[in-house]
Amino acid sequence: MIDGIDVVYVKNDYSNFMSAPRRVLSFLNFIRLAIKAARQEDNVDLVYATSTPLTVGYIAMRLKALKGWRYVFEVRDLWPEFPIEVGAIKNPLAIKYLRGLERRIYERSEFVVALSPGMQEGVIAAGTPAEKTAMIPNMSKPDKFFPHPVNMETVKSFNLDVDKFNVIHFGSMGRANGLEYIIDAATALKERGEAGVVFVFLGDGATCPHLKQLVEDRKLDNVKFLGNHKMDVVSEVVNCCDASITAFLNLPILKTNSPNKLFDSLSAGKPIIVNSAGWTKDLVEKEDCGFYVNPEDPEELAEKLVEVKDQPDLLEKWGRNSRRLSLEVFDKSILSAKVADVLERVYQNNV
């Protein structure tokens, strides 16, 4: 029981370090376990199914067939387009089946909530009527991430140098993040003799061992890996840093992303750096809370950091605008109300 909500967990192993076949088996096992657990529930008015993976939508679709439960589907990533673009799915028959499954999930849902404008466009392009969709992005956490005096215990614990310009990337370190880009920028800074910028990685993922090896091979002393930690620790470390970077591979599908770390960084009042030329670029430029850099040019990131690191007024303005956005646009009280409105309308229209 969490905050008055009865939460049912199913035990199912999953990790970004799993091979593709093991991950597929994990997804399939979760379908079986989730449907079995859900069928034991009574008095269900609506199912809110949130992806990824796409198989979560299949669970909702099966429960509708088995129990008659209507569902709202939340699209957190456009599947199967992402694994297709990165080459994880190549079989033409598998691609055809998954795209057909995507369309059926949208079609049989009562409503579709997308987390970014690009995702909403993708849902509509798959044949979903626009009036059956809404764009409601991720929520900020201004009560969990917020500007406050630097915790010197955190600084000592993680051996941070607060006299340098610390740029943090926190959260998932998967293939889609393309974090070699940041290592290449660190390399460029070292080659030009710029020692005032440090990149801080907080989190874990399948590419982490490879990134650490690159840092070791290149003898970089301007990159730190701090490991994976709980949210309260993450919040303190982010607060100790000077800017936050959200990085992705340069793929069209990733321009639709709505990454949690971006919204947490807004809450923390940090200048935001993005390298995805989608809606996040539009956001940071329109709201003047950071800057965009070319994902194919790590030298540009290095140059921009050297340019802005000694401009406290500019950095303070960007951070102030970030915090304002988190409170006035992306706060959970605002966006939860929008989700609740969708659920209420779906429920009332179909009773």
Side-chain angles (χ1 to χ4, degrees):
M1 186 63 68
I2 301 176
D3 294 337
I5 300 170
D6 187 18
V7 180
V8 179
Y9 292 87
V10 295
K11 187 175 182 180
N12 184 60
D13 291 336
Y14 181 80
S15 167
N16 281 329
F17 292 96
M18 286 180 173
S19 64
R22 284 190 66 199
R23 275 187 279 179
V24 169
L25 289 175
S26 178
F27 291 160
L28 293 175
N29 193 48
F30 181 71
I31 291 175
R32 178 182 65 83
L33 293 172
I35 292 175
K36 180 181 178 181
R39 291 184 70 177
Q40 298 174 27
E41 299 297 315
D42 296 316
N43 303 317
V44 173
D45 296 307
L46 280 174
V47 171
Y48 194 80
T50 177
S51 72
T52 57
L54 187 65
T55 43
V56 172
Y58 175 80
I59 294 167
M61 196 166 62
R62 285 294 298 152
L63 289 171
K64 184 174 185 178
L66 294 168
K67 304 280 282 187
W69 297 342
R70 292 170 290 115
Y71 68 92
V72 172
F73 187 54
E74 181 182 65
V75 178
R76 303 182 67 86
D77 279 308
L78 283 174
W79 275 59
E81 290 309 311
F82 168 64
I84 292 171
E85 282 200 16
V86 299
I89 301 175
K90 299 178 181 179
N91 185 290
L93 292 177
I95 291 172
K96 183 178 179 180
Y97 170 77
L98 289 171
R99 283 181 170 155
L101 176 62
E102 177 193 25
R103 288 192 295 271
R104 288 196 301 276
I105 290 169
Y106 297 157
E107 180 183 317
R108 296 179 190 180
S109 70
E110 309 302 315
F111 202 86
V112 180
V113 174
L115 264 61
S116 76
M119 289 184 206
Q120 185 179 27
E121 291 167 6
V123 171
I124 294 170
T128 310
E131 62 272 17
K132 188 181 167 178
T133 71
M135 196 288 287
I136 306 176
N138 282 341
M139 297 178 284
S140 62
K141 306 185 190 79
D143 56 334
K144 303 293 185 183
F145 291 82
F146 52 91
H148 57 281
V150 169
N151 185 330
M152 294 311 297
E153 287 300 317
T154 301
V155 170
K156 293 175 184 176
S157 175
F158 290 101
N159 194 29
L160 298 171
D161 187 345
V162 293
D163 292 326
K164 294 191 176 181
F165 192 80
N166 292 286
V167 181
I168 189 166
H169 179 283
F170 60 102
S172 176
M173 299 169 68
R175 181 179 175 188
N177 297 106
L179 298 178
E180 293 88 352
Y181 171 81
I182 295 178
I183 305 301
D184 289 342
T187 304
L189 287 166
K190 179 185 177 182
E191 289 173 349
R192 64 168 62 188
E194 175 55 64
V197 178
V198 174
F199 291 103
V200 178
F201 287 99
L202 193 65
D204 203 356
T207 66
C208 190
H210 169 62
L211 297 172
K212 288 181 176 179
Q213 189 61 53
L214 283 179
V215 169
E216 183 179 337
D217 292 345
R218 299 180 188 182
K219 297 180 173 56
L220 300 178
D221 56 4
N222 55 355
V223 180
K224 291 178 178 290
F225 294 92
L226 306 186
N228 207 19
H229 300 275
K230 293 182 179 179
M231 187 186 299
D232 58 340
V233 176
V234 173
S235 176
E236 289 296 338
V237 174
V238 171
N239 187 61
C240 293
C241 294
D242 300 287
S244 176
I245 183 167
T246 301
F248 287 102
L249 289 173
N250 188 23
L251 295 174
I253 194 64
L254 293 178
K255 294 175 184 177
T256 69
N257 261 4
S258 181
N260 278 312
K261 62 176 69 70
L262 172 66
F263 298 90
D264 292 341
S265 300
L266 291 173
S267 299
K270 296 299 171 185
I272 308 297
I273 306 164
V274 298
N275 74 340
S276 181
W279 82 291
T280 57
K281 174 180 183 290
D282 296 338
L283 178 74
V284 299
E285 293 182 343
K286 178 183 176 183
E287 301 295 341
D288 198 16
C289 59
F291 60 88
Y292 162 82
V293 284
N294 185 342
E296 299 294 339
D297 187 3
E299 288 271 0
E300 181 181 328
L301 173 58
E303 290 172 8
K304 189 68 176 178
L305 289 172
V306 171
E307 175 189 332
V308 304
K309 71 181 180 66
D310 295 320
Q311 298 188 50
D313 291 344
L314 177 62
L315 295 168
E316 194 275 334
K317 181 183 70 170
W318 283 343
R320 185 174 64 249
N321 287 339
S322 289
R323 181 65 180 177
R324 175 186 55 78
L325 269 178
S326 77
L327 295 171
E328 296 179 3
V329 179
F330 299 115
D331 184 71
K332 59 178 179 284
S333 63
I334 298 170
L335 299 183
S336 293
K338 292 184 178 182
V339 174
D341 180 64
V342 166
L343 296 175
E344 184 68 26
R345 285 190 285 118
V346 169
Y347 177 71
Q348 294 294 342
N349 290 342
N350 292 278
V351 171

